[in-house]
């Protein structure tokens, strides 16, 4: 199965390495890569470390026409304000009969209904497991294992970068040190202010609400406060010995639709959301038939994001 990549940063490089490791069993091949500043590469035998990048394709359409791929993987930088250009990349792929996988939460947060309907109309598959909690099954868990379930709300800590930053602040280091540490791990957004200002969590919250609660919201509707204002001193004063601050995302159904918030919250240490360490994430979903379900991801790295893309690819390969 031939694959075209939009974006080739931390996630893309990890994904290509994973495909190489899996090749004996899963014959997936990346045949084209399109980037913003590093040009475009095509190689029908499979792009390798030696494949040269030439001048950038003039448009996403031109790139896809030349790539000759069956699946497009959208892993460009997050744009939490409008989801572009990723939404347009996905539409260009659908228009050419190409299935789409994305780890970019922008399109799911801004245009899920339209993209889902367009894929369905064209009998194409659209998968996005890595948009929330990397490769940990969230959407696939609900799709495959929880039929007929109603999700009434959720609470989560699922921005690893802010978890890393808060740890650094607790050590007395400035916020910039935490950002640097997250960037070294390859987990920060291209623009790390999207992590610290809560945009990444807002986009994930909107994506969850759109897919699991049919909310039809965007990140712009999330009541959002980030952690950019926190200092080591302010954090120590707030937390004391029995409480922890975390950037918490919440969603809940109301008579007027789904409400969403992202805020630094002061949580008692008994709260599971307060007890996460490292880059770990926790999502709790409130359901009608299963009470509250918790999905815990221990210390994810960019490799788990790549694995989520891989599971989507296998899902598509098995379904067509
Ligand atoms: N890193 C993680 O742990 C993680 C986890 C879950 C989801 N994600 C999501 O995965 C996506 C990629 O993350 P990343 O960490 O790989 O980011 P990254 O390292 O900053 O790489 C972004 C890539 O996108 C390319 N790009 C940006 N705008 C583009 C455009 N208009 N057209 C074509 N290419 C474009 C960049 O090209 P240039 O290098 O040439 O500028 C670069 O190759 C993001 O949407 C992110 O939210 C990441």
């Amino acid at each position: 199965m031939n694959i075209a990549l939009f974006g080739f940063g931390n996630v893309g490089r990890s994904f290509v390495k994973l495909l190489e490791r899996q090749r004996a069993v899963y014959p997936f091949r990346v045949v084209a890569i399109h980037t913003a500043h590093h040009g475009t590469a095509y190689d029908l035998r499979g792009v390798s470390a030696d494949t040269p990048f030439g001048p950038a394709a003039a448009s996403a359409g031109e790139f896809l026409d030349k790539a000759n791929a069956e699946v497009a993987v959208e892993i460009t930088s997050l744009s939490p304000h409008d989801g572009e250009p990723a939404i347009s990349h996905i539409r260009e792929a659908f228009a050419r009969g190409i299935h789409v996988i994305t780890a970019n939460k922008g399109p799911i947060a801004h245009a899920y209904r339209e993209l889902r309907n367009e894929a369905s109309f064209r009998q194409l598959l659209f998968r996005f497991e890595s948009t929330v909690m990397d490769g940990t099954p969230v959407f696939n868990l609900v799709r495959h294992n929880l039929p007929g379930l109603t999700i009434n709300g959720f609470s989560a800590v699922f921005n690893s970068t802010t978890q890393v930053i808060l740890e650094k602040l607790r050590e007395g280091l400035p916020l910039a040190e935490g950002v640097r540490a997250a960037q070294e791990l390859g987990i920060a957004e291209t623009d790390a202010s999207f992590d610290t200002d809560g945009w990444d969590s807002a986009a994930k919250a909107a994506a969850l609400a759109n897919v699991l609660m049919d909310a039809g919201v965007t990140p712009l509707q999330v009541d959002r406060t980030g952690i950019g204002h926190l200092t080591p001193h302010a954090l120590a004063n707030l937390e004391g010995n029995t409480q922890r601050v975390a950037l918490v995302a919440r969603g809940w159904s109301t008579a007027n639709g789904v409400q969403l918030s992202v805020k630094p919250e002061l949580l008692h240490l008994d709260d599971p959301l307060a007890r996460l360490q490292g880059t770990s994430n926790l999502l709790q979903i409130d359901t009608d038939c299963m009470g509250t379900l918790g999905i815990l991801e221990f210390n994810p790295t960019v490799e788990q994001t790549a694995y989520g893309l891989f599971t989507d690819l296998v899902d598509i390969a098995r379904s067509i």
Side-chain angles (χ1 to χ4, degrees):
M1 182 177 267
N2 287 352
I3 302 156
L5 302 187
F6 283 101
F8 193 52
N10 292 308
V11 174
R13 287 191 294 273
S14 187
F15 180 56
V16 166
K17 280 188 203 147
L18 174 61
L19 292 188
E20 278 161 17
R21 291 202 299 277
Q22 297 278 353
R23 179 140 309 125
V25 181
Y26 297 95
F28 303 131
R29 243 183 342 189
V30 173
V31 292
I33 300 175
H34 185 49
T35 70
H37 305 103
H38 294 85
T40 301
Y42 303 99
D43 192 338
L44 272 180
R45 294 160 304 170
V47 171
S48 71
D50 304 329
T51 308
F53 278 70
S59 67
E62 182 189 293
F63 167 65
L64 290 169
D65 287 339
K66 207 165 157 192
N68 209 16
E70 292 140 286
V71 179
V73 177
E74 218 300 340
I75 38 176
T76 64
S77 313
L78 169 66
S79 172
H81 308 104
D82 60 8
E84 289 290 2
I87 294 172
S88 300
H89 292 163
I90 293 170
R91 289 206 167 110
E92 293 284 357
F94 287 159
R96 287 163 177 77
I98 299 170
H99 306 287
V100 173
I101 296 170
T102 185
N104 187 337
K105 59 224 86 148
I108 314 300
H110 280 275
Y112 173 63
R113 264 187 207 158
E114 298 88 321
L115 294 173
R116 177 198 62 192
N117 292 346
E118 198 170 328
S120 158
F121 175 72
R122 295 176 185 274
Q123 297 187 305
L124 293 167
L125 295 165
F126 180 38
R127 294 286 183 265
F128 40 81
E129 186 57 71
S130 282
T131 56
V132 177
M133 289 175 71
D134 317 299
T136 303
V138 173
F139 300 114
N140 287 328
L141 175 80
V142 175
R143 180 186 296 122
H144 295 302
N145 300 106
L146 300 172
L149 190 87
T150 298
I151 293 174
N152 298 314
F154 61 85
S155 53
V157 170
F158 47 27
N159 179 272
S160 300
T161 294
T162 50
Q163 290 291 96
V164 170
I165 292 170
L166 288 165
E167 282 293 345
K168 292 290 175 197
L169 292 178
R170 282 184 199 110
E171 291 167 20
L173 296 167
L175 190 124
E177 275 300 307
V179 172
R180 198 183 49 73
Q183 284 168 334
E184 274 174 13
L185 292 171
I187 58 167
E189 288 301 320
T190 313
D191 178 345
S193 73
F194 293 158
D195 292 302
T196 54
D197 292 349
W199 277 113
D200 172 79
S201 289
K204 286 172 178 156
L208 273 181
N210 288 341
V211 179
L212 302 183
M213 301 167 81
D214 196 25
V217 294
T218 78
L220 307 177
Q221 287 154 266
V222 179
D223 179 10
R224 179 185 51 82
T225 307
I227 63 152
H229 59 287
L230 283 176
T231 63
H233 182 68
L235 187 66
N237 277 347
L238 279 170
E239 290 189 331
N241 293 326
T242 56
Q243 300 183 100
R244 282 282 177 280
V245 171
L247 187 65
V248 179
R250 295 187 190 274
W252 62 99
S253 288
T254 74
N256 299 319
V258 178
Q259 303 295 308
L260 297 167
S261 75
V262 168
K263 289 177 186 169
E265 292 187 17
L266 191 57
L267 306 164
H268 195 273
L269 273 177
D270 289 344
D271 189 324
L273 291 174
R275 301 178 71 89
L276 299 168
Q277 296 193 332
T279 58
S280 300
N281 290 181
L282 174 62
L283 168 65
Q284 301 172 130
I285 51 177
D286 305 320
T287 77
D288 57 349
C289 300
M290 281 294 292
T292 298
L293 276 177
I295 303 169
L296 178 61
E297 181 182 35
F298 275 109
N299 278 323
T301 67
V302 72
E303 290 185 17
Q304 277 73 56
T305 310
Y307 184 72
L309 294 172
F310 174 75
T311 62
D312 282 344
L313 201 49
V314 172
D315 189 19
I316 289 179
R318 284 177 178 158
S319 308
I320 57 177

